[in-house]
Amino acid sequence: MEVMSQSFRQSILRQNLLCVNHGQDYISCKKINSLMSAYHILYDAVHEANNFYSDQLLVSTFCSSSILTECLYFFLVDCMTGYNIGMISIGSWIILNAIFLMLVALSGSNVTEAAGETTSLIRKLISQDVSSETREHLKSFLLQLFNKDVGFSASGFFQINRHILTSIAAAVTTYLVIIIQFDT
């Protein structure tokens, strides 16, 4: 709640559109202000979340991928030895860590995609029949969007999105092959 209230106050201060005209331009200007305000609130919320949680995201992603690698190794060992109870308990750890990593990655990716839709919406608004002043404000806002990256990161090392899942899968597979080679 505190982040949202601070973000809302900051975004109100950042609005650079003045709705002076009354009529159709006033309504479109009001909608544009609403869109800009919503985007700035989203950007500020993601920025604050990155400040608070980026280190925790880095550590939890690293730990989950390490645990996933170890559990997969021991799952394969239990499969070879036929130890069913070990396979079930380790299999549950594998599923829990995989679900955690998927939820974190998909949540970060959904926020980034929602923020990315703003750019296409602004482009559609620019192409519509609007006043030249409104069009210039939209172009100015579009330029602001290119300078702001809305996305979660793990202490700046990597972005938290869907692509991290393939990277983690590749790393886990590589380490698993290396561990199995040294075991034999």
Side-chain angles (χ1 to χ4, degrees), residues 81-117:
T81 60
Y83 185 58
N84 293 334
I85 295 173
M87 288 183 348
I88 292 170
S89 63
I90 292 175
S92 64
W93 276 102
I94 291 170
I95 291 170
L96 288 174
N97 281 292
I99 288 173
F100 172 76
L101 288 171
M102 285 179 18
L103 288 175
V104 168
L106 294 177
S107 298
S109 187
N110 288 340
V111 170
T112 304
E113 288 174 4
E117 290 174 3

Side-chain angles (χ1 to χ4, degrees), residues 9-69:
R9 282 193 298 264
Q10 290 173 357
S11 67
I12 294 297
L13 294 174
R14 248 191 256 135
Q15 290 181 356
N16 59 359
L17 292 178
L18 297 173
C19 298
V20 180
N21 302 359
H22 294 288
Q24 185 66 24
D25 284 342
Y26 177 76
I27 293 171
S28 65
C29 187
K30 192 172 180 180
K31 288 180 182 178
I32 292 168
N33 278 340
S34 173
L35 176 66
M36 289 175 65
S37 176
Y39 185 82
H40 288 303
I41 288 171
L42 176 65
Y43 176 78
D44 290 339
V46 169
H47 182 70
E48 290 297 319
N50 274 332
N51 286 339
F52 289 130
Y53 299 114
S54 65
D55 295 335
Q56 293 171 353
L57 281 171
L58 177 66
V59 170
S60 64
T61 304
F62 174 75
C63 288
S64 288
S65 60
S66 298
I67 290 170
L68 191 62
T69 305

Side-chain angles (χ1 to χ4, degrees), residues 12 76 118 177:
I12 294 297
L76 290 174
T118 307
V177 167

